[in-house]
Amino acid sequence: MFFTTRLVSSLEKVFCSLELPAEKIESVSGACGENIAFQLACRGDDNYIIEIQADSEIAELLTMREVGLVPCLMPSMPDDPYVLTHKAGVFPDPLLPMEKNRMRLSRGNWHAVWCSIRIPEEWKPGTYEIRFTITTPETPLWPQPELHYSTSISVTVLPYRLPKQKLLSINWFYADCIQTSYNVPCWSEKHWALLEQYFRNMVCHGNNVILTPLWSVPLDTAVGYERPTVQLLDITFAGGVYTFDFSRLERWIATARRAGFEYFEMAHAFTQWGAKATPKIVVKENGVERKRFGWHVPADSPEYRDFLTSLASALIPFLKSQGLTEKNTFFHVSDEPTSAVAESYEYASGLLRSLIGDYPVIDALSDVEFYRRGLIRRPVPTTTHLMDFLKEDLEQRWVYYCGTWENGVPNRQFGMPSARNRVLGVLLYVHRIDGFLNWGYNFWFTQHSLNWRIDPYSVVDADRAFCGGGAFMVYPGEDGPVDSLHYEVFAEGLQDLRALQLLESKIGREAVMKLIQDGVDYPISITRYPREAQWLLDLRARIDRCICENL
């Protein structure tokens, strides 16, 4: 019988193949309040089941999950040179629960267990050992060869606590995908219970701004088509007057806050790609609900202007009564407008801003002329256009990415090395970014929402529309979210950012930037930075040492 293991960092992708994972590690470290991870890669000569037990003083902090495998046809953009592969295949990503800490191997191939350690804020600093014992348990199906294997890793809890996250972090959440995937009635108690589970998962991964569906969000929806109706506002129209019931919105706010969210963004007031039309809004008239607004109503409709005016007069006071002020609440006009539709965006932007007072508007757009013309004060450009906006005097610096960018910028595509995902945290620090947005926390539809029912474990690319890793951060589990490898690594990058900000409070920004640049002979930027995982791991180790030296 042949069996072996290798402990590797969270930045390695352990493929189901005969090839060895990267160089092994013997230790990991993290600050109080940090979630750290490593992988236990296993390989045997047959398809037997193994059982893994962990013994340690910190065993209660350890969670083990199998790194599952999913098919992907386009793991990265074909012209991107900084990837592991462009070829279709099966990729390590969903982190699956392990019943009785058991995992089944495939003959001769490597498989991995994702080991997470969530360090409490008040945990005692020091070095702890985790000892793994791997056996082959008895099964009712067939006899297994006897195995008794052991390995260990050293875990150091550092003597400092990560500070609270300053970055505004958004991954767009789709309540309609929860409703559809779990086949539960919208706003049923089961739906609300699932929403809260997903909210808590988001907060645990550094998200602190939640997309709030006043009406069905007009995102990634083909012209003339629609998404499932998921509308928080209960609207009635009678005698030429709109009335609004905010009960569901109030519950949404309370549920999100209970999960840990502090910031809210309202659904876009106009359709995507330039504000040509109105979002789908259901209104009750004569006791019957009907779609009063949608693709069939143009953005400059006087009827819609009257509706928004009536809504704002009621919504703004309600938001303020809930503590949702200009400091923690954002509005949107339209997502991803281009210069070709600047005129319609200008109208829509002017109308919305005239109604919401000092509430800030953020929109994903990458033409700097929108800002220069005064159409928006807080633009959110793509990573590939960020440098154009850094030259401007912005109220806040935002950036976003989705699932198809290339040119060397950070992303989380399946075919990319994980270091290119995690390095985002360092680059956000380098460019003094205030907010990061990503469109896909749980987009489990096909592109343009033409098909609402797919299996995210087999369709990872919104039906061949995006690179794997772009459409969603989590998979739907039986009773709640199943994390992904790329989401865990993304969250590690946000922790790196917090550590850098802590270090800056002790030694100043100039010294921190010098530490980041040390050994790199070109200015690090969003488009050019060291690609090696070891550089990133070494940088974090240097950051930790410097913090500890300045406690």
Side-chain angles (χ1 to χ4, degrees):
M1 176 184 184
F2 169 80
F3 178 82
T4 190
T5 64
R6 179 167 292 191
L7 290 158
V8 297
S9 85
S10 60
L11 296 184
E12 298 301 330
K13 292 188 176 181
V14 180
F15 288 87
C16 184
S17 70
L18 301 179
E19 298 177 4
L20 288 172
E23 185 176 350
K24 65 180 181 179
I25 61 171
E26 297 180 349
S27 63
V28 292
S29 62
C32 295
E34 187 167 12
N35 186 36
I36 59 176
F38 58 91
Q39 298 174 84
L40 175 62
C42 303
R43 182 185 175 207
D45 60 0
D46 210 336
N47 63 338
Y48 36 77
I49 297 170
I50 58 173
E51 181 174 303
I52 306 170
Q53 298 297 330
D55 179 37
S56 174
E57 293 179 71
I58 59 171
E60 64 186 281
L61 310 181
L62 175 69
T63 300
M64 292 187 291
R65 291 169 289 180
E66 179 182 350
V67 182
L69 301 161
V70 289
C72 180
L73 298 180
M74 189 169 73
S76 57
M77 293 299 287
D79 296 330
D80 192 332
Y82 306 109
V83 299
L84 298 173
T85 182
H86 299 106
K87 295 181 179 180
V90 291
F91 291 80
D93 196 53
L95 304 182
L96 305 173
M98 297 171 62
E99 185 177 358
K100 298 181 180 179
N101 292 331
R102 293 178 179 181
M103 176 176 70
R104 186 171 183 179
L105 303 178
S106 62
R107 291 179 178 88
N109 292 318
W110 285 96
H111 295 268
V113 176
W114 188 271
C115 302
S116 298
I117 302 170
R118 188 169 292 279
I119 306 171
E121 290 189 351
E122 303 300 330
W123 199 261
K124 180 182 178 182
T127 299
Y128 304 85
E129 184 184 20
I130 300 178
R131 297 168 294 280
F132 294 100
T133 301
I134 304 170
T135 59
T136 44
E138 292 185 8
T139 68
L141 301 178
W142 69 90
Q144 295 207 118
E146 185 175 345
L147 171 67
H148 191 87
Y149 185 98
S150 62
T151 189
S152 63
I153 190 169
S154 174
V155 179
T156 298
V157 177
L158 300 169
Y160 76 88
R161 181 189 305 175
L162 279 183
K164 183 178 179 179
Q165 181 175 304
K166 296 179 181 179
L167 179 80
L168 296 166
S169 178
I170 299 171
N171 278 276
W172 276 341
F173 176 79
Y174 299 107
D176 53 359
C177 289
I178 302 295
Q179 170 204 355
T180 304
S181 182
Y182 288 91
N183 195 28
V184 296
C186 185
W187 310 131
S188 64
E189 289 305 311
K190 179 61 175 176
H191 192 207
W192 281 109
L194 286 165
L195 292 177
E196 183 161 359
Q197 287 194 57
Y198 280 85
F199 287 176
R200 292 186 182 280
N201 176 269
M202 296 176 78
V203 170
C204 283
H205 290 82
N207 297 130
N208 51 20
V209 189
I210 184 67
L211 179 61
T212 300
L214 299 176
W215 39 72
S216 303
V217 293
L219 295 168
D220 209 79
T221 307
V223 176
Y225 290 78
E226 62 183 58
R227 301 174 67 120
T229 299
V230 175
Q231 178 175 306
L232 286 168
L233 300 184
D234 191 349
I235 309 168
T236 301
F237 184 71
V241 176
Y242 290 99
T243 56
F244 304 93
D245 183 343
F246 298 124
S247 299
R248 286 196 296 258
L249 176 57
E250 184 174 10
R251 182 172 181 179
W252 175 278
I253 294 168
T255 303
R257 279 179 165 159
R258 188 165 58 246
F261 277 104
E262 299 180 73
Y263 300 88
F264 295 80
E265 52 174 333
M266 302 298 112
H268 297 68
F270 297 87
T271 52
Q272 195 173 27
W273 309 305
K276 286 286 191 179
T278 60
K280 181 177 74 169
I281 300 176
V282 174
V283 177
K284 188 179 296 183
E285 300 179 53
N286 299 317
V288 179
E289 291 187 341
R290 74 177 185 91
K291 187 171 62 176
R292 190 173 181 88
F293 301 103
W295 287 112
H296 61 292
V297 179
D300 61 357
S301 161
E303 182 182 9
Y304 189 58
R305 180 194 61 216
D306 293 344
F307 167 79
L308 282 184
T309 302
S310 297
L311 173 61
S313 66
L315 177 63
I316 298 304
F318 170 78
L319 293 179
K320 290 183 181 296
S321 73
Q322 296 292 306
L324 271 63
T325 69
E326 298 87 346
K327 294 182 179 180
N328 60 9
T329 308
F330 303 93
F331 282 80
H332 291 285
V333 178
S334 173
D335 185 56
E336 295 184 320
T338 64
S339 58
V341 292
E343 185 176 340
S344 62
Y345 184 89
E346 182 174 8
Y347 166 81
S349 176
L351 174 58
L352 180 63
R353 288 194 292 173
S354 73
L355 298 174
I356 62 175
D358 293 330
Y359 280 89
V361 172
I362 58 173
D363 273 331
L365 54 84
S366 292
D367 186 342
V368 72
E369 290 302 318
F370 279 78
Y371 172 77
R372 292 173 177 167
R373 290 177 54 185
L375 304 185
I376 188 168
R377 291 193 289 271
R378 302 191 189 190
V380 186
T382 63
T383 47
T384 52
H385 290 85
L386 174 63
M387 302 306 290
D388 296 335
F389 287 79
L390 293 181
K391 304 170 186 176
E392 307 296 329
D393 184 20
L394 303 173
E395 289 184 359
Q396 281 184 328
R397 290 184 175 184
W398 285 76
V399 71
Y400 89 96
Y401 67 54
C402 62
T404 55
W405 305 133
E406 46 192 63
N407 298 328
V409 293
N411 211 294
R412 62 191 201 213
Q413 297 166 10
F414 285 179
M416 288 182 175
S418 285
R420 198 166 154 191
N421 179 354
R422 179 170 167 175
V423 77
L424 179 70
V426 174
L427 301 179
L428 294 176
Y429 178 84
V430 167
H431 291 301
R432 300 177 186 259
I433 300 300
D434 299 298
F436 173 79
L437 183 153
N438 180 265
W439 76 281
Y441 170 76
N442 65 322
F443 185 73
W444 300 326
F445 295 166
T446 63
Q447 186 183 29
H448 298 154
S449 302
L450 297 177
N451 182 354
W452 300 346
R453 295 192 179 277
I454 64 170
D455 174 13
Y457 292 89
S458 58
V459 180
V460 300
D461 53 11
D463 194 20
R464 306 184 184 184
F466 307 103
C467 296
F472 50 83
M473 292 291 213
V474 294
Y475 297 79
E478 184 174 344
D479 299 308
V482 168
D483 289 327
S484 67
L485 182 154
H486 68 266
Y487 196 22
E488 297 283 272
V489 172
F490 170 83
E492 288 181 331
L494 299 190
Q495 293 179 154
D496 293 340
L497 173 60
R498 292 161 65 189
L500 284 165
Q501 290 169 340
L502 175 61
L503 182 56
E504 179 181 322
S505 72
K506 298 183 178 299
I507 66 172
R509 179 173 173 84
E510 183 178 349
V512 174
M513 286 298 296
K514 184 177 180 181
L515 182 146
I516 294 171
Q517 282 286 158
D518 187 31
V520 182
D521 60 2
Y522 54 84
I524 292 174
S525 72
I526 197 79
T527 56
R528 193 179 184 198
Y529 51 88
R531 300 297 197 282
E532 302 81 12
Q534 196 58 51
W535 176 84
L536 194 54
L537 295 172
D538 289 345
L539 173 61
R540 179 55 196 271
R542 288 187 286 127
I543 294 167
D544 289 335
R545 283 197 301 271
C546 198
I547 291 174
C548 292
E549 290 168 359
N550 288 274
L551 290 176

